[in-house]
């Protein structure tokens, strides 16, 4: 089935720093790609998604571009805030026949210091 | 929108005991999912319901695990004869019936500790 490899953490940045969290995938075809975020004490929530190659997903200042040439979906933000401290998960469907079974990366813990 | 609700938040049990968790999805969501998350890992898919029908099950779901969604609303996940390896966060999620890109809405999870 499909799989995703995510940049290991933890990542610690100062406020207003630039953020990149790497995510590469192995997949049959071109499945949708997702970034989920888990804030402390809360459930996972969808941050952004891209449904086809070259699409750019964006939300709350975060962006990720679906790049089939490099099989990547890196998460970026130009200026992080303390409130962005959370765990970030890259995800995609396990297989084309099981689009509802998402497989997740191991997560990257981000801490933003004031 | 009250979100996905899970009960209990925490459960400590002794090895060999049975436990049951409950999930109440967002009311208009037809799809319901169970995932398991261990420390430092991403969630792993366990099973999926569309209305009351259990349509997909992971190979991770051993015979000791059973999930139900009898009326197509809330769901229960039961683990029989718990083992220490069952200790994890059990997450429930729901989504609307639509495209496969419909986002999953997760609850805050039930943390199980088996002693």
């Amino acid at each position: 089935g499909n799989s995703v490899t995510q940049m290991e953490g933890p990542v610690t940045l100062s406020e207003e720093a630039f953020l990149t969290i790497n995510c590469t995938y192995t997949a049959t075809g071109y499945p949708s790609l997702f970034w989920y975020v888990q804030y402390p004490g809360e459930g996972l929530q969808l941050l952004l998604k891209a449904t086809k190659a070259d699409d750019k997903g964006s939300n709350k200042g975060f962006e990720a571009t679906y790049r089939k040439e490099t099989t990547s979906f890196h998460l970026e933000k130009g200026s992080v805030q303390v409130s962005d401290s959370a765990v970030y998960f890259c995800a995609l469907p396990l297989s084309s026949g099981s689009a509802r079974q998402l497989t997740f990366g191991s997560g990257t813990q981000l801490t933003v210091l004031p | 929108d009250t979100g996905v609700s899970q009960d209990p938040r925490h459960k400590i049990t002794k090895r060999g005991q049975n436990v049951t968790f409950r999930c109440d999805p967002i009311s208009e969501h037809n799809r319901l999912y169970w995932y398991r998350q261990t420390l430092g890992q991403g969630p792993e898919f366990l099973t999926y319901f569309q209305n009351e029908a259990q349509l997909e099950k992971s190979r991770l779901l051993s015979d000791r695990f059973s999930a139900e969604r009898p009326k197509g609303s809330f769901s229960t996940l039961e683990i029989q004869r718990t083992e220490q390896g069952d200790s994890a966060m059990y997450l429930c999620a729901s989504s609307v019936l639509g495209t496969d890109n419909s986002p999953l809405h997760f609850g805050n999870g039930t943390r199980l500790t088996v002693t």
Side-chain angles (χ1 to χ4, degrees):
Chain A
N2 300 334
S3 64
V4 60
T5 301
Q6 193 173 333
M7 169 181 173
E8 292 187 10
V11 174
T12 302
L13 296 173
S14 297
E15 204 164 25
E16 299 184 0
F18 184 85
L19 169 71
T20 300
I21 300 178
N22 290 341
C23 171
T24 57
Y25 66 88
T26 302
T28 302
Y30 302 103
S32 295
L33 303 175
F34 305 87
W35 277 100
Y36 278 79
V37 60
Q38 187 172 29
Y39 297 103
E42 299 183 13
L44 278 79
Q45 55 186 272
L46 179 67
L47 179 60
L48 55 83
K49 68 180 182 183
T51 57
K52 60 182 186 294
D54 299 324
D55 261 5
K56 177 184 286 188
S58 61
N59 185 26
K60 299 182 180 180
F62 290 88
E63 294 182 339
T65 301
Y66 190 160
R67 301 209 183 274
K68 63 178 181 180
E69 302 85 3
T70 54
T71 62
S72 65
F73 193 54
H74 304 324
L75 183 69
E76 297 182 334
K77 186 173 186 182
S79 177
V80 294
Q81 305 300 311
V82 173
S83 58
D84 294 326
S85 298
V87 182
Y88 293 82
F89 296 91
C90 187
L92 79 166
L94 184 62
S95 71
S96 59
S98 298
R100 289 163 294 280
Q101 290 191 36
L102 288 183
T103 184
F104 289 82
S106 57
T108 301
Q109 171 79 55
L110 171 66
T111 301
V112 180
L113 303 176
Chain B
D1 178 0
T2 58
V4 177
S5 177
Q6 292 189 245
D7 183 69
R9 290 295 305 272
H10 304 274
K11 178 69 177 179
I12 300 174
T13 191
K14 292 184 177 179
R15 189 176 54 187
Q17 298 296 305
N18 299 344
V19 294
T20 299
F21 310 140
R22 177 181 171 119
C23 171
D24 287 90
I26 295 172
S27 58
E28 63 269 25
H29 286 186
N30 307 84
R31 294 176 169 173
L32 186 147
Y33 313 75
W34 285 99
Y35 281 78
R36 180 172 65 190
Q37 185 178 18
T38 53
L39 196 63
Q41 299 298 316
E44 297 173 298
F45 173 83
L46 293 179
T47 189
Y48 154 71
F49 291 84
Q50 183 165 302
N51 298 313
E52 67 276 8
Q54 188 174 18
L55 298 184
E56 294 180 21
K57 291 171 64 173
S58 165
R59 284 172 288 182
L60 292 175
L61 211 64
S62 78
D63 292 343
R64 297 184 297 106
F65 288 68
S66 62
E68 295 182 345
R69 194 183 184 197
K71 299 182 180 178
S73 56
F74 74 91
S75 175
T76 57
L77 177 68
E78 181 183 16
I79 308 174
Q80 297 181 326
R81 304 181 302 282
T82 52
E83 302 173 354
Q84 287 187 322
D86 297 331
S87 297
M89 177 76 84
Y90 289 85
L91 301 172
C92 179
S94 67
S95 69
V96 296
L97 182 64
T99 69
D100 288 331
N101 296 323
S102 300
L104 273 61
H105 296 257
F106 282 86
N108 289 346
T110 294
R111 181 170 296 283
L112 173 66
T113 301
V114 181
T115 61

